[in-house]
Structures are given as C-alpha cells and as structure tokens.
Amino acid sequence: MRGRLPRPIRAVTDPAFGAGWTVLSTLFTTPTYLLSPRGRLSHFFETQMWVRGLLGYYGVRVVATGLDGHDPSKPHILLSNHQSLFDILAIFRTYPEPVRFVTKRELFFVPFFGWYLGIAGYIPID
C-alpha cells in the first residue's frame, strides 16, 4: 500500500506511521520490563513488534554477517555511524542479545518514550 501512495502523501504518512508505531510499541513494551528484569522479554517485543513493524512498513530488508563468532558470555560494544534511524533498527533486528544504547539525555524527557528509556536501562549522556 505504501509504495502506491504519491510521494507528497508519503511525506506525511511515513513520519506519522513511524511516530504512531513507536508510541504504541513503547506503551506495550514498557510493562514487559517489570516482568523481565534482565530485559529478554522486552528485547523480544522490541525486535518482534516495533522493529519488524517499522522495517516492514518502510520495506527495508536487513542482512547481518559476522555474528558467527558471537560469544554471549563476553561484553560487547557496538558502534554505528548513525546516518539514519535504520541503523538502530538493524542492530535490534540482527544482534542476538538485548542491546542498550547510550542516548542523549533530552530523549529521557519525552513522555512515554523517555520513560521507556529509563525503565529499559538506556544510558543518558549530555
């Protein structure tokens, strides 16, 4: 359906869908952190609901390579160039363990989304 819409309409519907889907997913995912202190259940909902919904809507296909040597018993630091919002979705979608990002402090003040970041254990920075 999205691909058949004229470009000016997509310029309005694409951000609206992204924002709306993020709010709905945040409202649904936040309570799972109370049920799953280590974040496994929440990570499942993030990757299955929020990430798949956005990637599917925008028609983005993600392929990961190099995860065959992943050792979940060791800590890892992931880096991305953050040239778009899709790198966040790609990391969530492909990395086999729960991920926490270093996040700018201002995002923690956004209603619902910021509360989710705090409960989920994201790290605020100035």
Side-chain angles (χ1 to χ4, degrees):
M1 174 74 179
R2 177 187 171 268
R4 293 188 294 231
L5 294 174
R7 187 175 218 136
I9 294 175
R10 285 199 325 252
V12 174
T13 60
D14 285 359
F17 176 83
W21 189 251
T22 299
V23 168
L24 286 174
S25 298
T26 300
L27 290 172
F28 185 76
T29 303
T30 300
T32 64
Y33 273 95
L34 303 174
L35 302 172
S36 176
R38 292 185 177 221
R40 298 238 180 243
L41 181 62
S42 303
H43 185 258
F44 171 79
F45 282 115
E46 285 169 344
T47 57
Q48 298 300 315
M49 185 177 166
W50 182 61
V51 172
R52 281 189 183 206
L54 289 175
L55 291 176
Y57 176 80
Y58 294 115
V60 175
R61 184 172 171 253
V62 178
V63 177
T65 60
L67 291 174
D68 48 341
H70 171 73
D71 182 357
S73 67
K74 295 181 180 177
H76 294 80
I77 296 177
L78 307 174
L79 301 173
S80 71
N81 58 9
H82 203 25
Q83 291 190 359
S84 77
L85 294 177
F86 289 114
D87 59 350
I88 294 170
L89 302 175
I91 290 171
F92 271 136
R93 181 71 182 98
T94 59
Y95 198 69
E97 298 294 319
V99 176
R100 301 296 175 267
F101 290 103
V102 175
T103 309
K104 64 181 180 178
R105 184 174 305 280
E106 292 83 7
L107 291 178
F108 285 77
F109 299 108
V110 175
F112 302 106
F113 182 68
W115 304 335
Y116 165 78
L117 293 174
I119 292 170
Y122 287 80
I123 303 161
I125 61 167
D126 286 321

